[in-house]
Amino acid sequence: MSREIPYKIYLEEKDMPKQWYNVRADMKNKPAPLLNPVTFQPMTFEELRPVFCDELVKQELDDTTPYIDIPQEILDFYKMYRPAPLVRAYCLEKKLDTPAKIYYKFEGNNTSGSHKLNSAIAQAYYAKNQGLKGVTTETGAGQWGTALAMACAYLELDCQVYMVKCSYEQKPFRREVMRTYGAKVTPSPSDTTEIGRKILAEHPGTSGSLGCAISEAVEAASKQEGYRYVLGSVLNQVLLHQTIIGLEAKAAMDQYDIVPDVIIGCAGGGSNLGGLISPFMGEKLRGERDYCFIAVEPASCPSLTRGRFAYDYCDTGMVCPLAKMYTLGSGFIPSASHSGGLRYHGMSPVLSQLYHDGLMEARSVEQTSVFAAAEQFARVEGILPAPESSHAIKVAIDEALRCRETGEEKTILFGLTGTGYFDMYAYEKFNDGKMTDTIPTDEDLAKGFAGLPHVPGAGA
Ligand SMILES: *Cc1c(COP(=O)(O)O)cnc(C)c1O
């Protein structure tokens, strides 16, 4: 019963998922709990409430409920830009002359240009519902800040964004998009917070980092009545919201009896990849079906492939709870690569645990090869991909080329997380032949590991 497969598969509105899927419910080894950075005890609901809004704390701590209803208002918002298309990359397949079948789930169809809006609207909704005035956050490349600004504008919530200084300067248009949606944008480190002033004093002239912007945003939220901090990746709650990606992709594939063999995604903090693979991983965890999952990260920030699986701070200022994850150390500042969204020192605890248990693979790739893949993709499939997303493209192409050699007709699914219109400075460097690859040495990494906290009883 093989029906011809269209170039794009769109779910009908009535078939869109109405619940998120919590993969933790099916994990035998649950991700380790967040720890209080002072007592080293698991963070409780009461301890997390001052930082995150109540409903999100519940989601963060919930390891057992497999399906969680998506509130109607969020479903309605999703309808503005979802379902995202599942695209059969016929043109790329032809160009590569591969027997592999390639599909990608495209999340770039909204103004933020990435998947981040899926969680931004959920987090803003729960904050609004709790009667809060506003939220604070950090942004690296700017996609998360934009997504949150859009969600907050829609719900009439105040939005304050600490933007990593080098992006603030390199991407003035991103900043203007955020301001257009009503957000207040501050370059980080700034002199508006205690931690920002401390970092500036210790590292004058620093171009900032995500970990440092997180510390500032957390401090800003804690000092204003009616504000909470929100985070665009890494946390369990964010991964949960992003499962809309995988649920839609799976529903679309099921309609045509397509079963992927390999599922590939780029991994920054891990939420998009976690969201894409969750429903498939659930089947694997329950022993129903096997898949190969591949996380792709930059060689300049190789948390999974070269990091340690240990408790670490989520931020440079060490004010956030400790998470057990693959990490390069919260003091690790990656080279100024052009994939801002992948420059985080840690990785989602859920993905970290799955990787640790051998349920997922990881590869690291160099940025010049990533941009070469991005251009190849843009020229045949039309979409100008974000540098982050292009990490997944690179490995998808590698896999398809391998199939050409072996003759295997594998079905490959990858996540195309967004578009790269704000990354033209990076494309320019690549086109001019001026892009370089910076790979940290073992000594560079050792410095980051030296800053890992010693957690009693965690064997670290
Ligand atoms: C933020 C971002 C990523 C990284 O996403 P994670 O969920 O943190 O891994 C990838 N691609 C794009 C386009 C992004 O904006």
Side-chain angles (χ1 to χ4, degrees):
M1 61 157 292
S2 90
R3 279 196 283 160
E4 184 157 354
I5 294 165
Y7 189 90
K8 282 193 180 119
I9 307 175
Y10 280 103
L11 287 182
E12 282 183 52
E13 219 172 272
K14 65 174 174 47
D15 298 326
M16 281 173 66
K18 295 184 179 53
Q19 295 176 310
W20 293 301
Y21 166 61
N22 181 7
V23 70
R24 285 170 283 163
D26 283 310
M27 290 170 69
K28 278 191 204 80
N29 297 331
K30 308 286 182 196
L34 294 172
L35 297 187
N36 179 309
V38 178
T39 64
F40 297 123
Q41 293 304 306
M43 291 290 287
T44 61
F45 180 74
E46 285 307 322
E47 285 175 310
L48 284 167
R49 285 188 71 191
V51 189
F52 304 119
C53 54
D54 295 359
E55 202 55 36
L56 292 169
V57 175
K58 277 189 211 152
Q59 293 180 358
E60 193 61 33
L61 298 176
D62 188 341
D63 276 352
T64 50
T65 312
Y67 288 94
I68 294 176
D69 286 340
I70 307 176
Q72 189 59 44
E73 247 189 288
I74 301 177
L75 286 174
D76 290 342
F77 186 88
Y78 278 168
K79 283 179 202 157
M80 278 199 280
Y81 68 102
R82 310 197 67 83
L86 177 75
V87 184
R88 171 79 184 266
Y90 281 117
C91 307
L92 181 65
E93 288 170 19
K94 198 165 159 215
K95 194 81 181 173
L96 298 174
D97 189 24
T98 175
K101 299 175 184 70
I102 308 174
Y103 294 85
Y104 57 90
K105 180 75 172 158
F106 180 47
E107 290 291 323
N109 268 338
N110 67 80
T111 297
S112 80
S114 84
H115 62 281
K116 296 214 170 62
L117 197 52
N118 301 333
S119 182
I121 186 60
Q123 296 192 49
Y125 168 81
Y126 290 118
K128 181 78 182 182
N129 220 26
Q130 196 176 314
L132 298 174
K133 285 187 211 144
V135 290
T136 69
T137 199
E138 76 295 329
T139 197
Q143 289 95 317
W144 167 245
T146 308
L148 190 68
M150 290 172 70
C152 287
Y154 179 77
L155 295 167
E156 297 180 349
L157 207 58
D158 187 41
C159 178
Q160 301 173 0
V161 181
Y162 287 84
M163 185 170 188
V164 178
K165 195 182 274 168
C166 64
S167 306
Y168 184 88
E169 285 159 3
Q170 261 185 22
K171 299 187 177 185
F173 292 156
R174 269 262 177 238
R175 183 178 80 207
E176 270 345 287
V177 177
M178 285 184 255
R179 293 180 60 208
T180 302
Y181 282 94
K184 181 175 152 214
V185 188
T186 309
S188 166
S190 75
D191 60 7
T192 66
T193 62
E194 262 170 53
I195 186 73
R197 288 191 290 273
K198 181 162 170 266
I199 293 169
L200 281 174
E202 283 167 15
H203 308 276
T206 174
S207 58
S209 72
L210 263 186
C212 162
I214 295 175
S215 305
E216 288 206 88
V218 171
E219 184 184 321
S222 70
K223 290 199 170 145
Q224 298 172 89
E225 178 76 31
Y227 279 73
R228 290 292 187 284
Y229 167 69
V230 294
L231 183 62
S233 188
V234 187
L235 296 171
N236 299 338
Q237 52 185 279
V238 184
L239 196 146
L240 175 74
H241 306 147
Q242 294 298 354
T243 60
I244 189 78
I245 304 173
L247 291 163
E248 275 184 12
K250 187 156 191 322
M253 292 188 127
D254 285 349
Q255 286 185 357
Y256 288 87
D257 298 317
I258 306 161
V259 182
D261 299 295
V262 190
I263 306 176
I264 301 166
C266 63
S271 74
N272 87 80
L273 176 65
L276 173 67
I277 69 174
S278 276
F280 301 95
M281 183 61 85
E283 289 187 319
K284 179 161 171 151
L285 290 166
R286 295 189 301 268
E288 295 162 12
R289 206 169 233 164
D290 199 16
Y291 299 97
C292 167
F293 302 103
I294 309 176
V296 191
E297 57 185 15
S300 58
C301 192
S303 351
L304 286 169
T305 50
R306 294 174 70 196
R308 298 259 172 90
F309 188 41
Y311 267 108
D312 193 12
Y313 298 97
C314 294
D315 63 321
T316 314
M318 307 177 184
V319 294
C320 292
L322 299 172
K324 188 169 182 195
M325 56 187 176
Y326 276 86
T327 177
L328 298 168
S330 63
F332 177 80
I333 298 197
S335 68
S337 87
H338 295 290
S339 295
L342 306 184
R343 291 180 75 224
Y344 185 65
H345 65 273
M347 184 57 64
S348 137
V350 173
L351 285 191
S352 292
Q353 188 65 49
L354 292 168
Y355 178 63
H356 193 70
D357 291 340
L359 292 156
M360 182 182 86
E361 298 173 23
R363 287 189 205 161
S364 75
V365 289
E366 294 168 19
Q367 70 172 352
T368 48
S369 67
V370 166
F371 275 80
E375 284 201 350
Q376 187 175 15
F377 181 82
R379 289 174 192 184
V380 291
E381 287 290 322
I383 295 168
L384 182 88
E388 293 90 348
S389 324
S390 305
H391 286 69
I393 297 177
K394 160 72 180 142
V395 169
I397 291 179
D398 286 351
E399 287 295 306
L401 290 176
R402 185 168 307 158
C403 288
R404 182 169 76 187
E405 272 157 38
T406 62
E408 281 174 289
E409 293 182 23
K410 278 192 187 170
T411 297
I412 298 167
L413 166 65
F414 73 89
L416 187 66
T417 49
T419 48
Y421 304 119
F422 289 98
D423 298 281
M424 296 326 290
Y425 175 70
Y427 274 95
E428 180 187 40
K429 276 229 156 138
F430 179 73
N431 291 331
D432 287 344
K434 288 186 182 146
M435 182 173 279
T436 53
D437 294 314
T438 322
I439 301 172
T441 62
D442 288 342
E443 291 83 77
D444 295 335
L445 295 187
K447 280 182 223 150
F449 297 144
L452 288 175
H454 293 282
V455 177

